[in-house]
Amino acid sequence: MDASFTASVFLGMSVDGFIARLDGDIGWLDGSGELPTEGPEAPTPDDGEGGDFGFTEFVDGIDAVVMGRSTYAFIKPFADWPYQGKPVHVLSTTLEPDADSRITVHRSLDEAVAALSAAGYRTVYVDGGRTVHDFLAAGLVGELTLSRVPVLIGTGHTPFGPFPADIPLEHVRTRTFRGGMVQSTWRVKR
């Protein structure tokens, strides 16, 4: 599958590779177990130095966002829409096309990739476990930034799993943050 854009991933995860518990809980991400999972306030990451682990800088550098329905359902209730000014595309077979004026709904990965390419986007942020997995499996991801939170949760949702072939990576950089988070960026080797 060809795309005219570069897909990038920016995920927080446990040291054992999970992005959420099986019930969708992500409270462990900030170490307190208290991140809101619904309501008016979006989780606000804090790296302990007044920053957000580079997330704002990352989002400033992308043209559009693509995510799955579960990720959209998680962020939909927040009063502060985290992607102001960025087109958001959602992969879903059940959401109605006019479900939310802030998003564009696509029924398949192929449809989403075609629309993102046709729109002329250069850099697309891929978010959500299943969507990240599908973009990786299709060979569409160019870069991954994985932020490992110092906790083992034992089981949960992961963007990884069986792929059609190995996906070789090249290390770009690693940063550490107060509190023990280790953030590594990897370029997908073609």
Side-chain angles (χ1 to χ4, degrees):
M1 178 181 314
D2 289 326
S4 64
F5 56 85
T6 300
S8 296
V9 172
F10 193 106
L11 290 174
M13 58 183 28
S14 62
V15 169
D16 48 354
F18 298 107
I19 58 172
R21 294 187 191 280
L22 291 175
D23 65 0
D25 173 67
I26 61 167
W28 50 269
L29 269 174
D30 74 349
S32 72
E34 299 175 5
L35 278 178
T37 56
E38 58 184 53
E41 286 189 37
T44 53
D46 179 2
D47 63 18
E49 297 172 10
D52 62 359
F53 305 100
F55 184 70
T56 297
E57 181 181 352
F58 172 79
V59 170
D60 285 348
I62 56 115
D63 297 321
V65 181
V66 63
M67 65 183 63
R69 180 187 168 93
S70 296
T71 302
Y72 165 71
F74 178 79
I75 66 165
K76 179 184 177 188
F78 298 135
D80 295 329
W81 186 246
Y83 308 112
Q84 278 313 103
K86 304 289 181 181
V88 176
H89 296 256
V90 178
L91 290 168
S92 174
T93 57
T94 58
L95 266 180
E96 293 300 321
D98 59 354
D100 184 335
S101 63
R102 300 173 294 185
I103 66 169
T104 301
V105 177
H106 303 285
R107 298 291 180 219
S108 69
L109 177 68
D110 289 342
E111 182 183 312
V113 169
L116 293 163
S117 292
Y121 301 132
R122 295 176 325 267
T123 306
V124 175
Y125 169 31
V126 181
D127 196 13
R130 196 168 334 161
T131 305
V132 167
H133 180 273
D134 291 348
F135 269 73
L136 281 165
L140 298 172
V141 173
E143 188 173 273
L144 295 137
T145 298
L146 306 176
S147 301
R148 300 282 183 157
V149 175
V151 63
L152 299 169
I153 64 171
T155 189
H157 297 284
T158 178
F160 310 120
F163 291 114
D166 291 348
I167 301 171
L169 305 174
E170 177 183 358
H171 181 256
V172 175
R173 71 183 159 276
T174 295
R175 299 169 55 193
T176 58
F177 295 92
R178 240 178 11 202
M181 179 187 285
V182 177
Q183 182 182 82
S184 294
T185 299
W186 305 89
R187 188 171 299 115
V188 176
K189 293 170 72 173
R190 302 279 176 216

